[in-house]
Amino acid sequence: MGHQESLVFAVTRQSPELITPAKPTPHEYKLLSDIDDQEGLRFQIPVIQFYAKKNDFVDARKMDPVKVMREALAKTLVFYYPFAGRLREGAGRKMGVDCTGEGVMFIEADADVTLEDFGDALQPPFPCLEDLLFDVPASAGVFDSPLLLIQVTRLKCGGFIFALRLNHTMSDAAGLVQFMTALGEIARGASAPSIPPVWQRELLNARVPQRVTCTHREYDDVADTNRTIIPFDNMVHRSFFFGATEIHALRQLLPAHLRKCSSFEVLTAWLWRSRTRALQFDPEEEVRVLCLVNARPKLNPPLPIGYYGNTFAFPVALTTAGNLCQNPIGYALELIRKTKKDVTGEYMRSVADLLVLKGRPHFAAVRTYLVSDVTRAGFGDVDFGWGKPAYGGPAKGGVGPVPGLATFYIPFKNKKGENGIVVPVCLPALAMQKFVAEFDGMVKKNDQSVIGNTSLNIKSAL
């Protein structure tokens, strides 16, 4: 990964343009659901896909990725026309899409680099990300701005990079992959997506009258008494690979009755504790982990196939920093397992009711860690006609209104060909050194706190 960090290349961009639907689309006002328009989702989420050149002898001109994607996008927007609109906010902070057909922002670019130049470690943090997904001035607002920004960058080798930025209130990872899959089908010649998009956001609206029937500590109003929100500056981004060896090492730290837990639960317990140790909060302070839980399987009646709105909950596990850091990892794991079980259909109704009653608050962010597992979202299967991506998924960790708070679990194959999960972590520099020490200690099957040792070789974790 050292090679990747030193990679520098030039990207030449054309002027951003707006791509509008290929045919006239309905001009209507479509309300978001009460799950979509909460404060914690009012931000842009970046995704990046790397594709190798196509090896068959098709007319190369036909296979210009920029031309293919530009045309496919216009056709796909006929079906997904709300993406071509603009968000507005009405009474009670209720958001809706004004389906104006103004279009999504599109950038054509070329980079003097090959896919091979990125080396073995095609994983966040990506070099020159701000050049591969250009933040067009005045384009990133929540309201009255494009809901999607897409940059297609041709590479010297004939491959290309597809980078996208989405207004998160419109869709979650599953909804975004559904849109990207439709774009891929149309790019490959289909006349319509195999799964027609379904709006029906009212299915996740609050009840009338609202009644909060479950406990939702994730929306507590937590005062930041000790100024423990991580500072914006001096943040270090690094990725950590968890393959079979690392997950096995984690399982060895557990008592026998917990060893059958899911990799997500084991990994989350270890990351939460290690990150908390690295940040050195006061032992009596409350710390939290929010686990993104996909609520689709929990809803009865189920949501229609093709629904592309946000359908997850943020249930929270909480304890004191002292209890978390001093107990074996099984302690955190039990808290996380219980928290995930809380999410039911009733829980989702209760969340929607609470959000409306409380004015759509942000989830509690003080001393909070948020984990989102996108290993099954399907980014790695999106095919625009060049096969599956060499990397597909979130462009970086730590995204969202509060820097450094969120981590993704991304499916990844390392240079040895091992399948596993790559986790981008974003921490202040000193805390990152301590986190790396925790990682090294775990891999060496030593669960004692190694926090004291900060003079360590950072390279070892990468």
Side-chain angles (χ1 to χ4, degrees), residues 204-216:
L204 285 177
N205 273 358
R207 298 171 283 209
V208 182
Q210 290 93 35
R211 50 187 192 276
V212 180
T213 50
C214 303
T215 307
H216 303 289

Side-chain angles (χ1 to χ4, degrees), residues 1-9 116-130 235-240 425 432 436 457-462:
M1 187 163 150
H3 164 70
Q4 181 200 13
E5 284 178 339
S6 58
L7 181 63
V8 178
F9 50 89
E116 290 70 37
D117 289 336
F118 282 88
D120 299 314
L122 258 183
Q123 62 186 37
F126 294 100
C128 309
L129 178 63
E130 56 291 337
M235 295 294 261
V236 177
H237 292 259
R238 291 189 182 279
S239 282
F240 297 84
V425 175
M432 183 60 84
V436 170
N457 173 10
I458 294 284
K459 289 272 187 294
S460 54
L462 309 175

Side-chain angles (χ1 to χ4, degrees), residues 285-303:
E285 288 199 296
E286 185 181 71
V287 290
R288 303 159 160 256
V289 63
L290 296 176
C291 301
L292 254 71
V293 174
N294 174 13
R296 279 169 195 263
K298 324 268 185 183
L299 295 166
N300 195 7
L303 289 172

Side-chain angles (χ1 to χ4, degrees), residues 170-226:
M170 289 291 287
S171 301
D172 56 15
L176 175 58
V177 168
Q178 181 185 308
F179 167 77
M180 288 167 67
T181 302
L183 182 59
E185 289 172 339
I186 287 173
R188 299 199 314 273
S191 55
S194 58
I195 297 174
V198 173
W199 186 261
Q200 289 185 29
R201 303 287 170 113
E202 69 282 355
L203 293 171
L204 285 177
N205 273 358
R207 298 171 283 209
V208 182
Q210 290 93 35
R211 50 187 192 276
V212 180
T213 50
C214 303
T215 307
H216 303 289
R217 298 287 312 273
E218 60 270 33
Y219 297 104
D220 286 353
D221 190 5
V222 180
D224 189 13
T225 45
N226 288 356

Side-chain angles (χ1 to χ4, degrees), residues 16-335:
E17 55 189 301
L18 286 170
I19 304 283
T20 56
K23 296 182 187 149
T25 50
H27 189 175
E28 55 194 0
Y29 190 72
K30 294 173 109 57
L31 291 172
L32 292 179
S33 82
D34 286 325
I35 298 293
D36 290 323
D37 64 3
Q38 55 184 299
E39 187 64 38
L41 295 182
R42 295 182 178 200
F43 71 96
Q44 309 280 349
I45 191 148
V47 164
I48 194 162
Q49 313 273 120
F50 290 76
Y51 292 93
K53 73 165 192 266
K54 197 145 166 91
N55 286 325
D56 48 16
F57 298 100
V58 217
D59 176 357
R61 210 181 27 174
K62 270 198 210 132
M63 291 309 290
D64 169 17
V66 170
K67 180 171 181 287
V68 169
M69 297 316 301
R70 190 189 271 122
E71 289 172 9
L73 191 53
K75 290 176 185 166
T76 307
L77 287 173
V78 174
F79 301 93
Y80 283 89
Y81 63 88
F83 276 131
R86 298 293 181 264
L87 280 179
R88 315 273 187 244
E89 191 177 46
R93 303 186 72 217
K94 181 74 180 171
M95 285 162 58
V97 185
D98 189 1
C99 299
T100 57
E102 284 170 76
V104 304
M105 194 160 272
F106 184 85
I107 305 169
E108 168 182 350
D110 291 275
D112 64 348
V113 67
T114 67
L115 193 57
E116 290 70 37
D117 289 336
F118 282 88
D120 299 314
L122 258 183
Q123 62 186 37
F126 294 100
C128 309
L129 178 63
E130 56 291 337
D131 294 316
L132 297 170
L133 184 57
F134 180 61
D135 180 13
V136 177
S139 71
V142 174
F143 303 109
D144 305 318
S145 291
L147 297 171
L148 283 170
L149 177 145
I150 293 172
Q151 179 173 331
V152 178
T153 306
R154 301 181 197 91
L155 302 175
K156 265 195 328 200
C157 55
F160 69 99
I161 297 170
F162 174 94
L164 172 150
R165 192 183 69 192
L166 163 77
N167 184 315
H168 203 332
T169 58
M170 289 291 287
S171 301
D172 56 15
L176 175 58
V177 168
Q178 181 185 308
F179 167 77
M180 288 167 67
T181 302
L183 182 59
E185 289 172 339
I186 287 173
R188 299 199 314 273
S191 55
S194 58
I195 297 174
V198 173
W199 186 261
Q200 289 185 29
R201 303 287 170 113
E202 69 282 355
L203 293 171
L204 285 177
N205 273 358
R207 298 171 283 209
V208 182
Q210 290 93 35
R211 50 187 192 276
V212 180
T213 50
C214 303
T215 307
H216 303 289
R217 298 287 312 273
E218 60 270 33
Y219 297 104
D220 286 353
D221 190 5
V222 180
D224 189 13
T225 45
N226 288 356
R227 308 221 341 265
T228 48
I229 288 208
I230 299 175
F232 291 75
D233 48 354
N234 197 18
M235 295 294 261
V236 177
H237 292 259
R238 291 189 182 279
S239 282
F240 297 84
F241 178 75
F242 293 85
T245 312
E246 290 78 10
I247 297 288
H248 177 72
L250 289 180
R251 287 190 193 281
Q252 294 309 301
L253 305 175
L254 295 169
H257 71 285
L258 289 176
R259 285 192 186 163
K260 293 275 192 290
C261 291
S262 72
S263 296
F264 170 87
E265 291 163 347
V266 179
L267 190 50
T268 303
W270 183 84
L271 284 164
W272 183 28
R273 190 184 66 168
S274 298
R275 182 179 179 277
T276 305
R277 283 177 170 181
L279 287 165
Q280 294 184 300
F281 295 131
D282 289 347
E284 68 286 353
E285 288 199 296
E286 185 181 71
V287 290
R288 303 159 160 256
V289 63
L290 296 176
C291 301
L292 254 71
V293 174
N294 174 13
R296 279 169 195 263
K298 324 268 185 183
L299 295 166
N300 195 7
L303 289 172
I305 289 168
Y307 183 91
Y308 60 104
N310 291 286
T311 56
F312 60 84
F314 294 114
V316 66
L318 46 103
T319 182
T320 63
N323 280 341
L324 178 62
C325 296
Q326 285 146 25
N327 271 299
I329 187 176
Y331 171 80
L333 189 93
E334 300 265 26
L335 289 173

